[in-house]
Amino acid sequence: MKKLKYTSIILASSAIFMFGSCSKDFLNQPAEDQVEAPYFFNTEKDLEVATNDFYSMLATMEVYTNDANSDNLMPLNPANQIKGNRIVPVASGSGGWSWGNLRKINYFLENYHKVGSQAAKDKYSGIARFFRAYFYYDKVKTFGDVPWYGKVLSGKDPDLYKPRDSRQLVMDSVLADLDYAIKNIPPEKQLNLVTKYTALLLKARISLFEGTFRKYHKIEGSEKFLTEAANATQELMQSNAYTLYTEGGPQAAYRNLFGRDKQDNIETILAADYELGLKVHNLGYLFTSATSGSYGLMKDAIDSYLMNDGSRFTDKANYKTTSYFQEMQNRDPRLIQTTAGPDFRVNGESKNEPVTLNITTTGYRLIKALPNRSQWATSASVFDLILFRYAEALLVFAEAKAELGTLTQADLDLSINKLRARAGMPNLNLAQANANPDPYLVDMYPNVSNTANKGVILEIRRERRIELFNEGQRWDDLMRWKEGKKVTKPMVGVYFSGVGGHDFTGDGNADVFLHTGSTTGAPSTVTSMININQRTLRNPITGQQKATSGNLDPFPQGGVFDEERDYFFPIPSEDLKLNENLKQNPGWK
């Protein structure tokens, strides 16, 4: 099977040329690409090699680290976008405002026609337009309105200095690219290559983002994009090309999907392939290092998981002060397949792992996509990384129809309830959810209006957070729902009733010992020591910081989010000077 490779082709077409990032003297030089074009793009293999270069645009490791820029995971060093410390970048082309990849795509689209095979032209032009849509989706969600370039620009082209195009024009162009890709890329199941199915899911992802962004930010056109999202997912679902991975049953399938070294195309639509000696990554190290990642799940994410009978954990009177061992009992099985539970074992091992809290900021250790121990060293991980999977389509389908007001119980049974069945959870009932919206989620997402579908929208958001946890979409979700203020709420971890020993495994012996500087009296069974003068606690009832009982508080300064500014990133100051028709995003100086 062909592998997804991040190869670079040395063509004059990939000469350094970024919109707004070059001096005018350079822009006035002859275009070198016009010399080389006649010698390339002549065979189907040329088109394949050229489009292989586009795969480097895809997020890979970032898929499994970007949740640390949100309210899902707290890393050792909190992200600037959570701290409110983002600043206007200076250097042209920095901060995401780079356009070199777009030039390569447009150059391909202007030159691929020479190949004789119509099937090859259809396929590879479809792949190129898939990546142009992917490129512009990233730009729009980052900066809002951006200039649309559907051609290669010469050094004298006045469009180099044009203002931003409207969001409507850009996103309509993105949809046109995706529709072309869906029509022209073959409906193959290729684990490591973009196919029609990948294009359908990307269209669904982008359309849901745009539809809900417009709805909650009060921009016209939301229904069109929500309808496109529902239709794209329905087409993917009705193709019967993919289903959910269930090997291991409810207690293991979810973890097994991400924890194996090699993916298959049962649920996984696109994955990045890694092999020892050829291409490796270091996620295993980041997930287990006390000095690098040290990721910890947030308490409010833990609280969002239902009980295994479908009832709400947060309906319990003492849910805020429940001990670690007790809160892990009788929950949605995905909880202890995402964070280390009382009986956590590393993949491939027969003994439970000791409780180790020095590698997690919150006490809730991340284990989703954690590989076997041999892959925990720096740059030693070789497990494949899932980039697109079928479960997302089910979530998009349900959310789009709920936001449109057309969701039925049959729709839920085709989507959300298949995800719950994989986890051994009871079905979501539309009427019951809408009759009794969860107060915990109402407080979490205050911008959901009091419509007939409020309860089920909240439940779908619960399901999305749980199912897609640590897959890099949480920040985008908060932005499209206009819930940026969520990151200003306390981000805390495990609750401790006070100093002394705490049993995390339920065997009657202490595993964690909290102290104020002296470890005298710590039981011999303890495997983690916490000095609460250094790793402070926040009382969940009074909000008191540096308390003697409460939740681990790894981010005591708290998040900052400016509603008038922080939904978009700033454009580099040098680019504003190079193109005076560009205007900075509101609130950035």
Side-chain angles (χ1 to χ4, degrees):
M1 179 176 289
K2 295 179 181 179
K3 301 297 183 182
L4 178 63
K5 298 184 184 300
Y6 302 128
T7 58
S8 295
I9 56 174
I10 303 176
L11 294 172
S13 64
S14 60
I16 299 173
F17 186 102
M18 296 184 180
F19 305 120
S21 65
C22 311
S23 69
K24 291 184 180 179
D25 288 340
F26 179 82
L27 293 177
N28 287 330
Q29 293 178 5
E32 295 180 7
D33 52 29
Q34 295 181 23
V35 177
E36 295 294 334
Y39 305 102
F40 204 74
F41 303 112
N42 294 314
T43 67
E44 180 173 349
K45 188 64 176 179
D46 288 348
L47 301 189
E48 179 185 0
V49 171
T51 54
N52 277 349
D53 193 40
F54 302 155
Y55 284 86
S56 62
M57 294 169 51
L58 293 172
T60 51
M61 271 188 54
E62 300 94 329
V63 171
Y64 297 87
T65 58
N66 277 351
D67 268 15
N69 299 327
S70 75
D71 64 334
N72 267 356
L73 289 174
M74 180 58 61
L76 192 62
N77 298 305
N80 283 330
Q81 64 197 58
I82 299 298
K83 294 189 289 186
N85 284 353
R86 285 180 284 174
I87 60 174
V88 177
V90 174
S92 178
S94 61
W97 190 264
S98 57
W99 300 81
N101 282 328
L102 178 62
R103 175 174 170 77
K104 290 192 288 186
I105 294 168
N106 283 338
Y107 183 83
F108 175 93
L109 290 170
E110 289 186 5
N111 289 282
Y112 78 94
H113 304 86
K114 295 184 298 177
V115 172
S117 168
Q118 187 61 46
K121 288 191 287 189
D122 291 345
K123 175 180 178 178
Y124 291 107
S125 62
I127 290 172
R129 291 182 70 169
F130 168 95
F131 280 105
R132 188 165 66 181
Y134 184 93
F135 174 92
Y136 264 108
Y137 169 52
D138 179 69
K139 287 290 180 287
V140 169
K141 71 180 182 179
T142 305
F143 299 106
D145 295 348
V146 293
W148 172 266
Y149 295 106
K151 63 180 181 179
V152 176
L153 302 183
S154 68
K156 296 181 179 180
D157 197 317
D159 281 350
L160 280 170
Y161 304 102
K162 74 174 183 176
R164 308 187 199 206
D165 287 304
S166 70
R167 189 178 187 117
Q168 186 67 55
L169 183 150
V170 174
M171 293 309 297
D172 282 349
S173 301
V174 166
L175 282 184
D177 273 353
L178 288 167
D179 286 339
Y180 181 93
I182 291 165
K183 179 180 178 181
N184 288 281
I185 306 175
E188 304 168 315
K189 293 182 71 173
Q190 295 278 1
L191 183 62
N192 305 127
L193 295 171
V194 168
T195 69
K196 174 179 180 175
Y197 303 119
T198 327
L200 279 168
L201 187 49
L202 181 63
K203 180 181 179 181
R205 180 185 295 182
I206 291 174
S207 297
L208 181 69
F209 180 93
E210 188 65 11
T212 49
F213 190 96
R214 289 173 183 241
K215 178 175 181 177
Y216 288 100
H217 290 259
K218 303 189 184 307
I219 302 171
E220 291 184 0
S222 64
E223 289 190 3
K224 168 187 171 179
F225 285 92
L226 290 170
T227 301
E228 293 281 4
N231 290 343
T233 50
Q234 188 166 31
E235 182 176 350
L236 179 55
M237 292 158 64
Q238 290 177 347
S239 74
N240 294 317
Y242 296 91
T243 187
L244 297 178
Y245 179 86
T246 58
E247 187 173 334
Q251 304 301 320
Y254 182 75
R255 184 181 174 196
N256 288 346
L257 172 63
F258 295 92
R260 54 193 175 152
D261 285 355
K262 291 299 175 185
Q263 288 296 319
D264 55 36
N265 53 19
I266 294 173
E267 177 174 345
T268 304
I269 297 174
L270 181 67
D273 178 70
Y274 292 84
E275 295 181 25
L276 191 64
L278 295 175
K279 186 175 180 64
V280 298
H281 58 85
N282 69 337
L283 283 177
Y285 173 73
L286 290 177
F287 289 172
T288 56
S289 170
T291 57
S292 289
S294 200
Y295 300 122
L297 283 73
M298 307 297 189
K299 169 68 171 170
D300 76 340
I302 300 294
D303 290 345
S304 297
Y305 287 78
L306 297 170
M307 304 301 293
N308 60 11
D309 62 2
S311 61
R312 302 186 294 230
F313 175 72
T314 51
D315 283 348
K316 296 180 178 294
N318 64 340
Y319 80 90
K320 291 183 179 180
T321 56
T322 301
S323 69
Y324 170 83
F325 177 77
Q326 289 300 323
E327 70 180 347
M328 292 291 154
Q329 305 305 305
N330 304 315
R331 302 290 293 278
D332 181 332
R334 286 171 294 185
L335 175 58
I336 58 172
Q337 297 176 66
T338 303
T339 188
D343 298 317
F344 167 60
R345 291 183 181 180
V346 175
N347 283 347
E349 300 187 6
S350 58
K351 293 183 179 180
N352 290 355
E353 182 78 351
V355 177
T356 310
L357 301 192
N358 68 321
I359 61 171
T360 168
T361 57
T362 65
Y364 297 114
R365 178 180 174 181
L366 178 66
I367 64 165
K368 180 176 175 178
L370 180 68
N372 57 58
R373 199 179 302 271
S374 67
Q375 300 183 56
W376 292 6
T378 306
S379 298
S381 294
V382 294
F383 65 93
D384 292 353
L385 302 181
I386 300 174
L387 309 184
F388 289 83
R389 66 184 178 102
Y390 182 62
E392 183 184 349
L394 304 183
L395 291 161
V396 172
F397 176 78
E399 185 179 351
K401 299 205 77 172
E403 294 287 3
L404 285 166
T406 61
L407 184 73
T408 66
Q409 184 62 47
D411 293 331
L412 284 177
D413 292 341
L414 288 171
S415 55
I416 298 299
N417 288 334
K418 288 186 179 295
L419 295 170
R420 290 197 172 187
R422 192 235 306 260
M425 291 291 293
N427 283 347
L428 173 60
N429 182 279
L430 177 65
Q432 291 176 4
N434 285 330
N436 184 24
D438 184 359
Y440 187 76
L441 297 181
V442 169
D443 180 68
M444 185 177 292
Y445 305 116
N447 286 338
V448 179
S449 57
N450 291 315
T451 62
N453 267 351
K454 179 173 184 173
V456 79
I457 288 173
L458 293 171
E459 290 302 323
I460 292 168
R461 290 188 183 187
R462 182 204 305 276
E463 193 69 25
R464 183 176 177 88
R465 189 180 191 187
I466 289 169
E467 182 67 28
L468 297 183
F469 194 93
N470 198 38
E471 294 182 49
Q473 299 201 44
R474 179 62 175 176
W475 175 264
D476 291 344
D477 287 346
L478 294 177
M479 296 302 99
R480 65 188 178 90
W481 296 329
K482 206 175 186 295
E483 298 288 3
K485 283 291 186 181
K486 170 69 174 62
V487 304
T488 67
K489 295 185 176 182
M491 299 186 192
V492 297
V494 172
Y495 175 80
F496 291 98
S497 58
V499 296
H502 297 268
D503 179 9
F504 269 43
T505 60
D507 63 358
N509 297 313
D511 307 286
V512 181
F513 188 77
L514 267 63
H515 61 92
T516 57
S518 172
T519 60
T520 301
S524 60
T525 54
V526 166
T527 54
S528 288
M529 301 278 192
I530 295 178
N531 183 341
I532 63 171
N533 291 329
Q534 299 170 344
R535 299 182 67 179
T536 59
L537 306 178
R538 181 193 293 256
N539 188 285
I541 308 301
T542 66
Q544 177 190 352
Q545 294 181 291
K546 298 184 179 180
T548 56
S549 65
N551 304 90
L552 283 177
D553 191 14
F555 188 38
Q557 64 269 43
V560 175
F561 192 90
D562 184 341
E563 283 281 325
E564 304 302 318
R565 183 194 70 181
D566 288 339
Y567 285 103
F568 297 117
F569 282 66
I571 298 173
S573 56
E574 285 187 2
D575 285 303
L576 297 176
K577 292 178 180 178
L578 287 165
N579 181 358
E580 294 180 355
N581 289 314
L582 288 176
K583 304 300 179 185
Q584 184 60 276
N585 276 324
W588 294 100
K589 297 180 181 180

